[in-house]
Amino acid sequence: MPLTRFALAAALALVASLGTSAHPAGAAQLGEASLDYYLPAGGDYDPEIPTPASVLGYEVGTWHVRHDQLVRYMETLAESSDRVSLEVTGHTHEQRPLLVLTITSEENHSRLEDLRQRHLQLSDPGSSESLDPGSMPVVAYMGYGVHGNEPSGSNASLVVAYHLAAARNEATRALLDRTVILLDPSLNPDGHARFAHWANTHRGKVPVADPRSREHREPWPNGRTNHYWFDLNRDWLLAQHPESQARLEQFHSWRPNVHTDFHEMGTNSTYFFQPGVPSRKNPLTPDRNVELTAAIARYHADALDAIGSLYYSEETFDDFYYGKGSTYPDVHGAVGILFEQASSRGHVQESIHGTLGFPFTIRNQVRTSLSTLKAAFDLRVQLLEYQRDFHRRALDEGRSSTVEAYVFGDAADPRRTHHLVELLRRHRVEVHALARAVDGDGHTFEPGSSFAVPLAQPRHRLVRTLFERQLDFEDSTFYDVSTWTLPLAFGVPSTAVARGGSRTGVLGDAVDNPQAPVGRFEAAEGAYAYAFEWFGHYAPRALYRLQRSGVRTLVAKLPFEADVAGAGKASPRAFARGTVVIPATGQPLDRGDLETRLNAIAAADGVDIYPLESGLTPGGVDLGSPSLRPLETPRPAIVVGRGMSTYETGQAWHLLDARFGLETTLLPRRDLTRVDLSRYSHLIFMDVAGGGRRGAAQEPGPGKAARHALSRWVRDGGVLLAVNGSAQWATDLVKEWDGPEGAPEPMPTAIDGIPTDRRPYDSYEPDRAARLVGGSIFSTDLDLTHPLAFGFPRRDLAVFKNDADALAPQDDPYSAVAVFSGDPVMSGYVSAENADRLARTPALVADRMGDGLVVRMAFDPTFRAFWYGTEKLVLNALFFGDTVNRTGALEEPR
């Protein structure tokens, strides 16, 4: 049956059934069902294997399973069945265990390590030639619940695991003989726990389908995200969280052939399975991948036809961004499959297709789980051969590529470079030390601080997607971002080395287990002061550790030279703007304790700390100069709650708390007029809810009373940091302070300019897409003399932006810290209209307002926690915001 006829066939089957609705009737419609409701007929289940109800105390779907109950049932299965083994692969931020069940025949379990090693050889062109795919089992990974408030997947995993452990029919036995199944019942335990608690807490004895009932209306930030409010489904490529890192380790320990990703969508939807929109496939994904996905899709159609469920394919979702659970496998020779089930978001809810019960949503996920495994079994040899051929062809493409290697590195910040190497190795990308110096793209890359990634490797296609910049697109609509070039994200210079040119031979020793560079500190008797520069990525963390110990610190707003104590007659060392100076005397710690602390900090945070001989410097300002400003310990608060973007707010929290160790208050937005704001030195407003590239309606800024409180707080010395949508109302706050009375003109938004003349109805989406920004990378010019730019070694700075909002030109010519360049698009999809609109407009502005400061950013400085290149801008606003002097337009001389 052609794939495009799936939805029609399903609808006809429903009509023919005369009364079978899209959702189940009877008890299942009210949120209750028996185990038989979920299971296929003829399973012949072993009575010695515990059912879910025997452990949970209720039938699946009656309540939302808690994560601890889910863990306990999976442990019980592993204890009861020779087909099942269980491994704890890691722990979440909240220390919940991450599980993987390996399910296969008893005989396969007895030689599992041998099977794993042989399977990995398929991805090694050097050893895959001798393998016979016909004699090997296929490997299927079943991943459930990456979004915590999409519960049908994790609840379905209970039934799927039981079926595979207990079914004694011939079909299941044959399946397990030829298949190794890796089952992850909860990819996001912290979010799962948050949502299950909410849904169960608000479940009554009588199920309520009213969508306005509290059960169906989670409060901010809801259970979709992990502990720090990140979307873990976007973290496969970025791997910034323990859940993702554990998943990657498991993925690469087996390299499965089929990789499933079970989700939910809006209540009024039906059921989706891939392939998605054909025109939005990533061009690096082979057509054979789509063919296999389509072949597997026919099994899903048969399974859902059999139970009369509505479904569709080839619409809505795409496979462009390789950082999702259904697309990351596609760049590794596997077939990733996305499933989306209409969500009851509780136990039962009204929908346009009838009453939607939680059991119905679970049953669909169970049946497509089993149809996936049947497809993998039937297509086993094709899938294994595809994986082998994928890596062979990738290696051949790399060998014939015009680029021999990508070279990258930043001597000014070894830790940031290390994090990029660390991420590449997490993906099993081959990385080498740089063998010799290379000049390219305006930079000199030196051995010892730079690395090389060859294109001739089995991970060739992954290397390309991580390093290439993309500006040409077949389709202008993206379900997620349109680019993710890693060197730009990390702010690390890079260049491509052409094959066969004069710069070949750049590969040094392979880097297998990269070690974080440590800083150095050498105590020197009689040192006058100590200093470290701000270029190191974790210099802010080092400063904060000192401040929390009560150590007095200064920042040099101008460069200087100083004699390093104990360095003999060596030339004075130059120190850049932003250098932190620690006087040796007048500290709460004696010299010995202070130097012990400095030594530990240098090692932990990778900064070099120098003892200085004298306060009288041979060049630049002296150490007692007014240009060395005392630093106060920041007391930041991030404004959270309804109206704020969950993702971006979580990014800021993760940055300050998890990465830099700052004590950070999460201040509810509703409390802005109820608390004493003077206890906070900084207030951080990330993007507003609904902001971003989709052009959704944005929540208004703070109300009149809150704006008055914020204005008074800033005038009294507070530093307000506002990002993206929040920068728009913060602009108005500044105008209301400095500008004429009356409401300012509204700022332009991402969807301004849609034609008002008559247009065909189906032109709306293309017109709208042409005015959006598909998550792209822009170039900015950074003023390195400004305190908010301290620690950046280069003027050119790549930033990530997923909307077209612009900041208005400034009356104060000195307040624009960063400006978008004249040709700003470095990678990703941006319409020509938006590129022109953003060109040469302010990207980062710092305005004095009374004794305080308002910092506005027209981009996301902490995007998904992997945009290392710009996150220091946030830290600079925290540590150096109060050192920004008042400026303004100069009067013309008379």
Side-chain angles (χ1 to χ4, degrees), residues 545-546 548-549 551 589 592-602 609:
R545 293 185 203 269
L546 291 169
R548 291 285 295 218
S549 299
V551 174
L589 305 177
D593 288 342
L594 177 59
E595 290 187 340
T596 298
R597 181 64 54 87
L598 292 174
N599 186 59
I601 287 173
I609 304 178

Side-chain angles (χ1 to χ4, degrees), residues 89 91-93 98 141 146 187-188 226 230-252 323 328 423 426-427:
T89 61
H91 290 81
T92 70
H93 287 292
L98 297 161
Y141 175 97
V146 72
L187 295 159
N188 179 10
N226 78 339
F230 278 71
D231 184 341
L232 290 178
N233 193 43
R234 271 56 175 181
D235 196 45
W236 275 87
L237 203 62
L238 317 179
Q240 297 300 306
H241 294 273
E243 299 93 337
S244 308
Q245 292 166 13
R247 289 201 310 264
L248 282 180
E249 188 65 30
Q250 189 66 29
F251 179 90
H252 287 290
Y328 182 79
L423 179 56
R426 230 173 233 139
H427 294 298

Side-chain angles (χ1 to χ4, degrees), residues 44 205 273 314 403 468 500:
D44 184 23
K205 289 186 176 181
F273 51 81
E314 293 187 322
V403 175
E468 287 182 347

Side-chain angles (χ1 to χ4, degrees), residues 135-188:
S135 66
M136 300 170 63
V138 69
V139 179
Y141 175 97
M142 314 296 287
Y144 300 92
V146 72
H147 294 145
N149 64 355
E150 298 176 2
S152 58
S154 288
N155 283 267
S157 75
L158 295 161
V159 181
V160 174
Y162 169 74
H163 170 79
L164 295 172
R168 296 182 294 190
N169 59 333
E170 186 56 37
T172 302
R173 291 181 184 276
L175 171 73
L176 295 178
D177 282 340
R178 290 293 193 176
T179 311
V180 175
I181 300 160
L182 308 172
L183 189 149
D184 188 330
S186 178
L187 295 159
N188 179 10

Side-chain angles (χ1 to χ4, degrees), residues 615-688:
L616 183 65
T617 65
V621 298
D622 295 325
L623 300 190
S625 164
S627 295
L628 271 77
R629 295 279 296 273
L631 292 172
E632 299 292 332
T633 306
R635 295 168 282 112
I638 301 171
V639 177
V640 303
R642 188 171 180 271
M644 306 306 300
S645 165
T646 302
Y647 296 154
E648 292 198 17
T649 303
Q651 290 166 193
W653 181 26
H654 177 268
L655 173 72
L656 301 188
D657 179 64
R659 188 162 288 170
F660 283 90
L662 273 69
E663 180 181 334
T664 306
T665 296
L666 302 179
L667 182 64
R669 176 175 160 172
R670 65 177 182 270
D671 289 346
L672 287 172
T673 58
R674 306 176 187 176
V675 301
D676 179 9
L677 295 180
S678 66
R679 68 178 295 151
Y680 310 113
S681 61
H682 297 72
L683 290 178
I684 300 173
F685 287 80
M686 299 301 286
D687 199 8
V688 295

